[in-house]
Amino acid sequence: MKKLIFILFTLPFLVFAQEKGIHFEHNTTWAKVKEKAKKENKFIFVDAFTTWCGPCKYMSDNIFPQEKVGTFFNEKFVNLKIQMDETPGDNEDVKSWRAEAKRFAKDYAIAAYPTFLIFNPNGELVHRIVGGGEADEFIAMTKESFDPSTQYETIVKKYKANPKDVEAAKAMAKAATKAYDKNTAAEAIASIIENSSADAVLTKEFIPMLRSSITSVDNKAFELIRNNKAKVDEVMGAGKADAMLGTAVINSVLMPKLRASQTDNFDQAAEEAIKAYPDLKL
């Protein structure tokens, strides 16, 4: 009896504590979520997560339950969690979303977790955030979804409308890098290189983006840095150009050669791989 009284006494406090954080919709459908958002004139916040993702768990356990986070998201959004993986312990609610989860992954190109998708009250995707952050930082990142100048999908549309527009491409490269959209970032950076002078691109602000886009020895960023090593070192510091180029050679030339030959002789494979790059200090 004492245990029962204790449970009944503490239950309201437990419920109150839970209500402080973000309220997520349950036992619903995507159509109903969109209908509710339109009726209440709210944006839709979707947490696309997996059960094995550490940052996903951190956000759910430490950020979403905070009162200031709940106050912001509950006022501005209809909030939804979609589990993107499948486990034997999934409940019926999670199972009912499996087909929708697969569609989200395909239609919205979800490639990393957590990915947070934000839709306007009409159900149109306007923004995405990849990776979490502390409460104030995450709220600030989410506020970008309200401003067309910072909405990720709006930036994409503007860039796609005129890929040769250097300013639009720069905004795209910056936003795509932030969103871990490597393909779009590389595409935008290639456009900037094609439509700008070397001096305009090889700046302290832009070179780090070039570095992140050098995934192969065949892309334009690699060629630009290789042809302007002295300028890059002048801006970023001695040896930085070779370090950036060397990483590309290792990842796109040396490692594939090692995997293909299945050799244990790293030194021999490395020597063969870098023969085509005698100008680099690798």
Side-chain angles (χ1 to χ4, degrees):
M1 179 63 71
K2 287 183 179 180
K3 283 187 177 180
L4 179 61
I5 292 173
F6 177 77
I7 292 172
L8 292 174
F9 180 75
T10 57
L11 184 60
F13 294 95
L14 293 172
V15 173
F16 179 75
Q18 291 171 350
E19 289 178 347
K20 283 185 177 181
I22 298 178
H23 169 72
F24 289 98
E25 301 294 314
H26 295 286
N27 299 308
T28 186
T29 64
W30 181 235
K32 289 181 179 178
V33 168
K34 290 193 292 183
E35 182 181 349
K36 181 176 181 179
K38 191 167 187 176
K39 182 179 179 181
E40 297 180 6
N41 193 32
K42 289 183 177 181
F43 280 57
I44 302 170
F45 172 76
V46 177
D47 172 19
F49 73 97
T50 66
T51 57
W52 47 260
C53 164
C56 301
K57 294 176 183 177
Y58 179 81
M59 294 299 291
S60 291
D61 294 344
N62 299 284
I63 305 302
F64 296 159
Q66 292 187 33
E67 183 173 3
K68 62 181 174 182
V69 176
T71 298
F72 172 76
F73 279 86
N74 295 335
E75 179 184 345
K76 303 290 186 182
F77 297 93
V78 174
N79 303 291
L80 179 69
K81 288 172 103 28
I82 301 180
Q83 182 179 309
M84 305 302 288
D85 63 331
E86 299 179 6
T87 74
D90 292 343
N91 60 36
E92 293 305 312
D93 188 16
V94 171
K95 290 179 181 178
S96 72
W97 278 86
R98 283 179 174 174
E100 199 69 87
K102 291 177 182 177
R103 183 186 70 80
F104 264 69
K106 180 181 178 181
D107 290 356
Y108 304 122
I110 299 174
Y113 300 100
T115 289
F116 305 102
L117 301 176
I118 299 175
F119 301 78
N120 66 20
N122 292 320
E124 301 164 335
L125 180 66
V126 294
H127 195 56
R128 71 172 61 223
I129 302 168
V130 179
E134 295 305 317
D136 291 336
E137 177 190 8
F138 191 66
I139 289 173
M141 288 191 293
T142 306
K143 285 181 178 178
E144 293 180 350
S145 64
F146 304 135
D147 183 352
S149 68
T150 54
Q151 287 173 344
Y152 186 76
E153 297 301 322
T154 302
I155 294 171
V156 171
K157 289 177 182 177
K158 186 175 180 180
Y159 165 69
K160 295 290 187 182
N162 187 6
K164 293 185 178 181
D165 183 332
V166 173
E167 291 307 313
K170 283 183 177 180
M172 184 72 266
K174 184 177 181 180
T177 300
K178 189 176 179 181
Y180 294 87
D181 186 348
K182 294 182 179 179
N183 291 335
T184 303
E187 179 186 324
I189 289 170
S191 174
I192 294 167
I193 293 171
E194 287 178 358
N195 297 286
S196 306
S197 67
D199 285 342
V201 175
L202 297 175
T203 64
K204 196 162 189 175
E205 176 187 12
F206 197 72
I207 288 175
M209 275 196 277
L210 288 177
R211 177 172 53 200
S212 66
S213 74
I214 301 178
T215 55
S216 166
V217 296
D218 298 321
N219 69 15
K220 293 185 181 296
F222 183 89
E223 181 182 353
L224 176 67
I225 293 175
R226 188 179 184 186
N227 293 337
N228 295 274
K229 287 173 55 181
K231 175 67 175 178
V232 173
D233 285 353
E234 178 187 335
V235 174
M236 302 301 293
K240 294 296 183 182
D242 279 327
M244 295 164 65
L245 298 170
T247 299
V249 172
I250 290 170
N251 291 337
S252 65
V253 180
L254 174 57
M255 296 310 295
K257 185 178 287 291
L258 285 171
R259 285 192 289 267
S261 64
Q262 295 183 337
T263 179
D264 293 328
N265 193 334
F266 182 87
D267 291 336
Q268 181 182 346
E271 185 177 345
E272 292 177 1
I274 64 177
K275 280 180 180 178
Y277 309 96
D279 55 310
L280 307 185
K281 295 178 181 178
L282 302 175

